[in-house]
Amino acid sequence: MTSLKRALPAGEESRNLSSKVYIRSTRSGKVQKIVREVYLRRDIPCSSRLCTECLAIAPRDSHNRTLTFILSERPQRTAKFPNGHYIVPDTNAILSGLDLFEATTSFYDVIVLQTVLEEVKNRSLPLYHRLVALTKNEDKRFYVFFNDFRQETYVLRNHGETINDRNDRAVRKATGWYAQHLETSVRANKSISKPPAVVMISNDKENLMKAKSENVQAFSLSDYVSGLDDADRLLDMIRDFTDVARPKTGKAAQVYEMHLPESKLRTGVNNGTMYQGNFSVSPYNYLEGSVNVPDFERPLLVLGRENSNRAVSGDVVVVQLLPKDQWKAPSTTVLDEGNVSKDDNAEAGEDEAVVTQRERRLLQDEVKKTHSKSREGRSQPTARVVGIIRRNWRQYVGHIDKDSVRSSSTSARNQQAVFLIPMDKRIPKIRIRTRQASSLTGQRVVASMDAWDEDSRYPTGHFIKSLGELESKEAETEALLMEYDVQYRPFPKTVLDCLPAEGHDWKVPSSTDDPGWRGRRDLRDLLICSIDPPGCVDIDDALHARQLPNGNYEVGVHIADVSNFVKPNNAMDAEASARGTTVYLVDKRIDMLPMLLGTDLCSLKSHVERYAFSVIWEITADADIVNSTFTKSVIASRESFSYEQAQTRIDNKSQNDDLTRGMRALMMLSKRLRQKRMDAGALNLASPEVRVEAESETSDPVDVKTKQLLDTNSLVEEFMLLANISVASKIQGVFPQTALLRRHAAPPKTNFEELQQQLKVKKGMELRMESSKAVADSLDACTDAKQPFLNTLIRIMATRCMMSAEYFCSGSQAYSEYRHYGLASEIYTHFTSPIRRYADLVVHRQLAAAIEYEKAEASVHSSHKLESICKNINVRHRNAQMAGRASVEYYVGQALKGRVVDEEGYVMKVFSNGFVVFVPRFGIEGLIRLREMATPEPESSFDVDNYKLTISGSRQASIELFQTVKVRISDDLEESTGKRKVRLHLL
């Protein structure tokens, strides 16, 4: 076989071509040589607005417009750089200081070299994504310069040179070229006397020395930051790759076991001697973790610091099973890290123990309880962490432990180690070094976790920023948004540019011949209305019903046609996909889509024509479906009701207009649909829902009330469920491998074992698990005339035993796994809320393709793309729920601030040193610890089999599961989290 090579010309063009050679080994063990030709160009612009030379040669877009230059003509000035300066960071500067580059007070006009961007991608994908986000932030002015394709900055790797050294040389060369290039350009532009400096930032000492010898301006990150305003705060944000507490010179008193290398972990998992899973920590006991493993019915317990071996809640870990004689039952003791380790020293010494004597004593007490006769048969397998596959570390919100602040000195650059106590009790304290210890006390602080060494009791990290004072509304709201990773930044200009140019003046075209009417049914004559919570402005759905001549009913669910405005793969679609869902807090809404769409152009407001996607059924009076139709449409809603207004309209016998009759038909049919679902085994579960009432002018919370559900709530719910089920069947029939659906798996029977035992022992009730119908029927039977709220309490507890529903791509599961257990439906999706859920927007696109309204977009056929979308929106949906609950919890605490209220509560969990009480009126639950009941702490005897706690000594009481108790509710600033919470006291 002859190999043909293209000969390079001998002239100027030969310098425009280069090649990269890669050597890699294949799976079969063979060595493969890959040669890639690189075409070097001279028209890649520097993107400085000062440069007229690059402006003349810069590439143009499809409209023949020169691409906008990014780097400012007046970059940031400092004492060191009075004419301003551009920054060129190398890879280690980005890795150790990305939080700095994201700061809003400094680090503007940054040149991100292609070499650095690729190296960051190889080193850390999360940091890479954050860096890419910075390059898209127009305010920060970060420019990606493709130095490996520009002829003057391309660097060929020398023989024997490491890749790292080659990349360092490339950074120096690009920095030098920028400085020379700008000087030449400015010299030609006589209106400017001196060009801005071009400064390389690196933490590599050798790289800095070579830069100096090559006359390239270069600084270490800390030296550069020292010359900026607010240097103390900024210096704290630099990630320290060394132990922040002490130099490792001696031998610590005790060390964690070293993690096994990944190759051994993989081998162990594959041969069944080790197990992989997600590590989670009990919210009640910081020394008790667990790992769910498919091979075991119950989670594997991981007890104590030594066995958890530096795993943090959320990490993907590999565990090894402990001998059977070390298995134990789950803990019955409440343990807070803040209370047990209150006196730990942040400035750790050589004698720091990984496990304190107090922790060891507490674990030994638990072991004794395990081997007691009353707990026989309750033991679970225990394990120890031997390695970590993937860290799930993120930015953590918390507050500085004031007891760890050893000095009130505020002198510049005087660092000390302090503890950050995260808001999430499952996360251990983080040891950070700061120059601002005194000023950060009493602040809500954000920090990052950097490392957790074998000889350090706690993980180490660095300060990122302060959000403001503890308990201030602004700081606490931003804290919970960060804690649950809610993307709350304003929509960037690229997204807003995707909005209709007419803005709020946009209207449905008046002529039906307009392209906007193509394929749409004109439903403006139908008597359509919407029913929503009070004050709702992002109205996704509307309904209508009318009786047909044959006695059946025509019922329509009309959903905002968001896909008409949000086109696939544009900037707005990418932003909506990243956000995943709208997040509802007590006092604000974090929108998935810009307000123009969500609250106006898409919102199905009354007396306005709007585009919709309609599902229309013919339904018998017994709520049987005769046929279904799916169509794009134009509607004009007659009224926008609140639930209460709609209920009043339906109940008012004096009103008999066509719209009201249609609403009554909807009510009648919804009740029959609901009964059919219940007969099929749908579950009527419960969760505590309250409404926080705020003062009209200040928005400060003043009271808390339980939400009252009306029949109209159920009316809307039933028809939304019916629409979602109908659409799911349609898109799955057309796209059997790529339909975006939602499933709810049946819970493992072990999930309900504890609740079953509790009901049997305390109430003589049986909770059957053979089917969702059996669960529903047995929940209906869990009633007690003496405790009217008991049934609701049991439903709340049952809800927590369920699996979480999740989005999935139909081709990733067998059809038998599509089932939604809670709704007793064989197939289900989300279609009815595209303004606030990205899943619904994707389903709209799939349904439009399924009815051949428009050609299917490529992602509709891409299972890989859809699985990626599902993974993100599952996380976003869960985070939005938790953020909403956290917001309610914060505002309930604020509403009760300074108040003392006596209320009835129900015991829903019993420990050996405390018990949890649920208060229905406020929808809250609180832990009452024995140590808080009296001084000295009362003695106790816990009957674990009968869920009974007998309290004696300084306080006499007997507490049993499901018992009705009287509690006094007050507010208290929780020391461990810095959050104001309700405090319950047993009366």
Side-chain angles (χ1 to χ4, degrees), residues 46-56 68-77 83-86 109 178-179 181-198:
C46 69
S47 201
S48 170
R49 295 172 194 166
L50 290 169
C51 182
T52 53
E53 179 185 336
C54 285
L55 195 62
T68 304
F69 278 19
I70 293 170
L71 302 175
S72 172
E73 66 275 20
R74 292 178 181 167
Q76 190 173 17
R77 300 182 181 192
N83 293 312
H85 65 294
Y86 298 144
D109 296 298
Y178 251 98
H181 174 77
L182 287 174
E183 188 171 344
T184 304
S185 181
V186 166
R187 197 182 299 135
N189 184 355
K190 297 181 180 178
S191 62
I192 302 169
S193 60
K194 199 170 182 182
V198 182

Side-chain angles (χ1 to χ4, degrees), residues 322-328 367 371 382:
L322 292 176
K324 198 165 185 177
D325 61 358
Q326 295 183 37
W327 293 7
K328 71 176 288 293
V367 171
H371 295 292
T382 55

Side-chain angles (χ1 to χ4, degrees), residues 164-185:
N164 184 62
D165 287 344
R166 179 264 169 203
N167 290 344
D168 287 346
R169 188 158 56 87
V171 174
R172 296 195 301 274
K173 184 165 184 177
T175 306
W177 175 82
Y178 251 98
Q180 186 178 6
H181 174 77
L182 287 174
E183 188 171 344
T184 304
S185 181

